Amino acid sequence: MPRRSSGSPPEKADAARIRFVEVTRETRADFETLFEQPGAPKYCWCMAWRNLSSREHVDNDEKKRAIMALVEVGTPVGILAQADGRTVGWCSVAPRQTYRELSRQQDDSETAVWSIVCFYVPRALRGGGLAGALLDAAIDHAFAKGAGTIEAYPVDQASPSYSFMGFRDMFLARGFRETGTAGSRRHVMRLER
């Protein structure tokens, strides 16, 4: 997808041009390339909701090493969107037990629950439907990998924070139902198989 100039409308996601791949040892270079580009969340490396030995004073390189260590041992971490030979988006979708606690109501005795906790779409491509296409692919991916339930933690469109977790209406449109809240802004939403 070509970059757009400021002020022009975003390009709509063309599902025929987008393919989705799981981040694995074979595709981790694509993940690195996406996260190392200008504007990408390399300050986080999608470790905000994952377990770290310490959460204090963890630098970006340590976060990168931690996510790459998960990939190296085959722990699911998420999927990438690719178009025209470029990686253009990311969704963190993985078994819930691979994350730290995501809500106070979480029941860790449940099995086969996968969580969707993060999206990244480069600014130039936002508003064109790529996040929705990533969500659809994440749902398909989680169910294909054995999820019985998919849980997500989106916010309302007007929320001043956590927008990287997606917006509530996007999940409602795909049949997710709200089961509670996580903190003051995040909705806990679930989709059952």
Side-chain angles (χ1 to χ4, degrees), residues 39-85:
K42 59 183 153 266
Y43 56 86
C44 172
W45 282 97
C46 213
M47 289 301 295
W49 298 109
R50 298 180 199 278
N51 291 313
L52 286 169
S53 57
S54 169
R55 300 206 73 77
E56 300 211 15
H57 310 294
V58 179
D59 67 24
N60 299 349
D61 289 337
E62 187 175 336
K63 291 174 190 170
K64 179 181 177 181
R65 281 191 298 277
I67 193 85
M68 290 304 165
L70 292 172
V71 173
E72 182 62 30
V73 298
T75 302
V77 296
I79 60 171
L80 299 169
Q82 298 179 326
D84 301 328

Side-chain angles (χ1 to χ4, degrees), residues 105 152 154 156 168 171-172 175-182 185-191:
Q105 70 192 43
D156 292 318
R168 183 176 173 270
F171 289 86
L172 284 172
F176 281 75
R177 64 179 175 75
E178 189 162 341
T179 62
T181 59
R185 294 188 177 101
R186 293 177 292 127
H187 301 270
V188 178
M189 303 188 76
R190 295 178 73 138
L191 183 65

Side-chain angles (χ1 to χ4, degrees), residues 19 22 30 85 88 105-107 120 132 136 143 151 180-181 188:
R19 73 182 199 114
E22 181 177 9
D30 297 327
V88 295
Q105 70 192 43
Q106 185 170 312
D107 178 358
Y120 170 64
D136 292 337
F143 283 144
E151 196 169 80
T181 59
V188 178

